[in-house]
């Protein structure tokens, strides 16, 4: 360019000292101007860098002069109309095609955004904090990638539900066996249930009860069940009883083998109730029981033994078991061990 300017001056102006001076001065001025507008720029296109020397004023012209075309969705930094700076850096990011599935549609869009979040914002695809985005919003945008946006909604549904009442049966020894009597009518309660339902793209995916508030307590239904029965014991006669229990019956006497005590020892022949142990064919005999099953003082009828009263206890008498008192060891041995019906009289 300087040589052409020099040739032009020599062509139209005759040679001479003054002219030579003017030409020299002009060349210096032109050179200074050229150096003032000459700039070096680093151009990066998708990470590939080249160095360019340019006299252009804007980055758009720099790209044009270097044969670099920019697509409508390519991203250029700084902008194309920005003034060129010496040793500046011009970054071009080519748009790549991605597929987006959102709101029941599949869209093919070219983008040069850095990550999925920026891409959605640029394309005006709005998402809430509940919506699912795959890949994640900070994932880099890549060629051919598939982005899926799943709309998520949460709804809390309140409804009233009944609390079913319970039916309680109470034994009543004053009512005949097999007879029932309503003592209290039952009534359902009421509770308010809040259920959280989660929808994805309009379809329910989960349902969970998150709270229950009792608005009204239920009232129990109470029914009396008769246990008073009429029975004929093995010895004959009629017997009214409140309860019948199948029990294992053993036998004992006041001797040392049964009680560990001998005549003259403290408490010999005395029951846990403080009475003298007795066997009476015409009255109530003493028997040992588990007080947790049959309270002491309870009158009984023991099948094959007769009337008895729970007056004594024993270390081995646990649960559904009774120990029957006899006056002699031979009688106890003859009884042995039997399963019998024990009738609770009162």
């Amino acid at each position: 360019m300087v040589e052409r300017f020099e040739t032009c001056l020599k062509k139209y102006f005759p040679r001479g000292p003054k002219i030579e001076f003017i030409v020299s001065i002009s060349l210096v001025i032109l050179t200074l101007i050229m150096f003032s507008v000459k700039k070096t720029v680093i151009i990066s296109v998708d990470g590939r860098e080249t160095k360019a020397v340019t006299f252009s004023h804007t980055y758009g012209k720099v790209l044009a002069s270097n044969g670099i075309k920019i697509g409508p969705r390519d991203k250029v930094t700084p902008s194309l109309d920005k003034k060129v700076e010496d040793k500046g850096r011009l970054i071009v990011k080519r748009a790549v095609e991605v597929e987006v599935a959102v709101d029941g549609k599949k869209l093919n869009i070219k983008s040069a955004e850095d990550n999925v979040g920026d891409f959605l914002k640029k394309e005006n695809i709005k998402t809430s904090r509940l919506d699912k985005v795959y890949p994640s919003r900070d994932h880099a945008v890549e060629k051919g990638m598939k982005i899926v946006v799943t709309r998520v909604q949460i709804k809390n549904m309140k409804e009233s539900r009944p609390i079913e009442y319970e039916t309680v049966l109470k034994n009543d020894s004053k009512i005949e066996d097999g007879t029932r009597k309503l003592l209290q009518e039952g009534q359902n309660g009421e509770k308010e249930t809040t259920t959280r339902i989660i929808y994805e793209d309009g379809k329910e995916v989960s349902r969970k009860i998150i709270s229950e508030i009792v608005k009204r307590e239920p009232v129990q239904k109470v029914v009396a069940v008769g246990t008073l029965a009429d029975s004929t014991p093995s010895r004959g006669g009629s017997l009214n009883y409140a309860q019948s229990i199948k029990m294992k019956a053993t036998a004992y006497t006041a001797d040392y083998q049964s009680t560990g005590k001998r005549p003259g020892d403290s408490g010999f022949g005395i029951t846990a109730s403080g009475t003298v142990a007795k066997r009476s064919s015409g009255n109530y005999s003493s028997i040992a029981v588990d007080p947790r099953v049959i309270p002491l003082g309870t009158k009984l009828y023991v099948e094959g033994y007769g009337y008895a009263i729970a007056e004594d206890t024993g270390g081995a008498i646990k649960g559904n078991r009774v120990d029957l008192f006899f006056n002699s060891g031979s009688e106890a041995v003859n009884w042995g061990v039997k399963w019998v019906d024990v009738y609770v009289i009162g």
Side-chain angles (χ1 to χ4, degrees):
M1 184 174 180
V2 175
E3 293 176 353
R4 280 187 289 173
F5 178 73
E6 184 180 1
T7 301
C8 182
L9 286 175
K10 289 179 180 180
K11 181 178 179 181
Y12 293 102
F13 297 95
R15 296 180 65 82
K18 288 185 177 181
I19 296 302
E20 289 292 338
F21 177 74
I22 293 170
V23 170
S24 298
I25 294 300
S26 299
L27 289 175
V28 171
I29 293 171
L30 181 60
T31 301
L32 291 172
I33 293 172
M34 289 177 62
F35 273 100
S36 67
V37 296
K38 176 185 174 183
K39 295 179 177 64
T40 301
V41 178
I42 301 296
I43 303 174
S44 174
V45 180
D46 286 342
R48 290 175 294 182
E49 296 184 350
T50 58
K51 184 184 289 185
V53 177
T54 182
F55 295 96
S56 301
H57 294 293
T58 63
Y59 286 112
K61 290 182 178 179
V62 171
L63 293 175
S65 63
N66 284 273
I68 300 174
K69 295 182 179 180
I70 301 300
R73 284 187 165 266
D74 292 343
K75 197 173 183 179
V76 181
T77 307
S79 61
L80 294 175
D81 58 356
K82 188 160 184 169
K83 188 178 178 180
V84 176
E85 295 181 2
D86 188 33
K87 296 181 182 179
R89 189 178 184 84
L90 184 60
I91 300 174
V92 178
K93 188 174 182 183
R94 299 294 189 189
V96 295
E97 189 168 293
V98 298
E99 181 184 288
V100 187
V102 59
D103 298 330
K105 300 176 183 177
K106 285 188 178 181
L107 308 173
N108 291 313
I109 301 174
K110 281 192 171 184
S111 175
E113 297 301 319
D114 293 329
N115 55 55
V116 172
D118 291 342
F119 165 79
L120 295 173
K121 189 175 181 180
K122 176 73 174 178
E123 300 303 324
N124 200 29
I125 300 174
K126 296 180 180 180
T127 59
S128 72
R129 64 181 182 84
L130 295 175
D131 291 341
K132 294 181 179 179
V133 178
Y134 180 84
S136 62
R137 290 174 173 83
D138 58 359
H139 195 285
V141 173
E142 299 171 352
K143 183 179 180 180
M145 77 183 304
K146 294 183 179 180
I147 300 172
V148 179
V149 177
T150 303
R151 302 296 189 191
V152 178
Q153 288 181 302
I154 296 178
K155 293 183 179 180
N156 291 336
M157 182 180 68
K158 291 185 178 181
E159 60 179 341
S160 293
R161 294 185 178 181
I163 305 175
E164 294 186 358
Y165 64 80
E166 296 180 344
T167 299
V168 178
L169 302 179
K170 291 187 174 181
N171 290 336
D172 191 333
S173 61
K174 297 178 181 179
I175 304 175
E176 291 185 5
D177 186 24
T179 303
R180 295 194 174 199
K181 181 181 179 181
L182 179 65
L183 301 180
Q184 178 176 281
E185 188 63 75
Q187 185 178 356
N188 285 338
E190 182 185 356
K191 61 183 175 181
E192 182 183 78
T193 302
T194 301
T195 303
R196 177 161 293 170
I197 307 172
I198 299 178
Y199 300 88
E200 291 186 2
D201 287 338
K203 295 181 180 179
E204 182 180 326
V205 295
S206 71
R207 180 181 291 247
K208 182 181 180 181
I209 295 176
I210 58 173
S211 71
E212 288 185 331
I213 301 174
V214 177
K215 296 292 187 179
R216 187 177 66 253
E217 293 284 354
V219 177
Q220 290 181 335
K221 181 179 181 179
V222 182
V223 178
V225 179
T227 59
L228 181 63
D230 222 13
S231 175
T232 303
S234 56
R235 73 175 196 150
S238 179
L239 173 69
N240 288 328
Y241 64 91
Q243 186 181 7
S244 173
I245 309 173
K246 197 76 171 178
M247 307 189 82
K248 185 177 182 180
T250 53
Y252 77 106
T253 66
D255 61 16
Y256 182 80
Q257 287 75 16
S258 295
T259 65
K261 295 180 180 182
R262 293 184 173 88
D265 291 341
S266 176
F268 176 78
I270 304 301
T271 67
S273 300
T275 62
V276 176
K278 57 187 177 296
R279 170 71 172 120
S280 175
S281 59
N283 206 336
Y284 288 94
S285 300
S286 302
I287 66 171
V289 298
D290 183 346
R292 295 172 301 176
V293 180
I294 299 176
L296 291 176
T298 303
K299 293 181 178 180
L300 308 163
Y301 181 86
V302 180
E303 182 182 14
Y305 180 75
Y307 289 94
I309 186 168
E311 291 183 321
D312 210 353
T313 60
I317 309 305
K318 304 294 181 184
N320 284 14
R321 182 172 175 180
V322 291
D323 207 12
L324 312 179
F325 181 79
F326 286 94
N327 291 321
S328 66
S330 60
E331 290 178 295
V333 170
N334 288 336
W335 176 268
V337 179
K338 299 178 182 178
W339 282 93
V340 296
D341 288 324
V342 177
Y343 300 93
V344 178
I345 299 173

